[in-house]
Amino acid sequence: MTESVPASNIEQKLGTLEDAENKLVQLLSVMSQATGELANTSSDRDLLILLSTQALQLIKDVQLQVKSVIPSLSEYPTFQINNYLLREEASLSQSKLITVHEQVDPLLKKLEVSPT
């Protein structure tokens, strides 16, 4: 059975994901500002470099935050529910194989015993 994960750990992971979400909103804002500057024919090159640098840093931060959470998501029972159908399907397939084997085995023994 699955071990329960402490609530504080779950809250910490959700906090990390919320922070990543906030950074994505910031990223969209920075990218929108950069797009506006690109549309402006008299845009400041230094401002574009600054906005691009901020955007890349936000992308890196979000990636690191999400990466720190994703490997441990499989520990939570709510995420393991997604595997339920696959496990049930495998179990049914195994029981079907056992049933077919039980039906074929006597037929094979009959074929081995009967003269041709």
Side-chain angles (χ1 to χ4, degrees):
M1 207 35 93
T2 307
E3 296 178 20
S4 65
V5 178
S8 61
N9 195 11
I10 293 172
E11 289 173 9
Q12 179 185 9
K13 299 292 183 186
L14 290 175
T16 302
L17 288 175
E18 185 176 357
D19 189 42
E21 180 183 20
N22 291 335
K23 286 189 180 185
L24 283 172
V25 171
Q26 288 176 340
L27 174 63
L28 290 174
S29 175
V30 168
M31 295 301 287
S32 173
Q33 197 176 356
T35 304
E37 285 297 319
L38 284 171
N40 184 359
T41 56
S42 62
S43 63
D44 183 13
R45 179 179 161 86
D46 291 334
L47 180 58
L48 280 173
I49 292 172
L50 176 68
L51 292 172
S52 298
T53 304
Q54 285 177 348
L56 291 173
Q57 184 60 49
L58 286 167
I59 291 170
K60 180 181 175 184
D61 293 347
V62 168
Q63 180 185 16
L64 290 173
Q65 285 179 316
V66 171
K67 188 178 178 181
S68 74
V69 174
I70 287 195
S72 59
L73 286 179
S74 61
E75 298 171 6
Y76 303 126
T78 54
F79 294 103
Q80 290 179 355
I81 291 172
N82 297 334
N83 292 337
Y84 175 77
L85 292 176
L86 294 174
R87 288 181 293 172
E88 284 301 309
E89 188 176 294
S91 175
L92 287 172
S93 295
Q94 183 180 12
S95 65
K96 286 178 185 177
L97 283 173
I98 291 171
T99 304
V100 168
H101 177 69
E102 289 172 349
Q103 292 173 356
V104 169
D105 196 37
L107 293 173
L108 288 174
K109 287 181 182 175
K110 271 188 179 180
L111 285 173
E112 289 174 358
V113 172
S114 66
T116 17

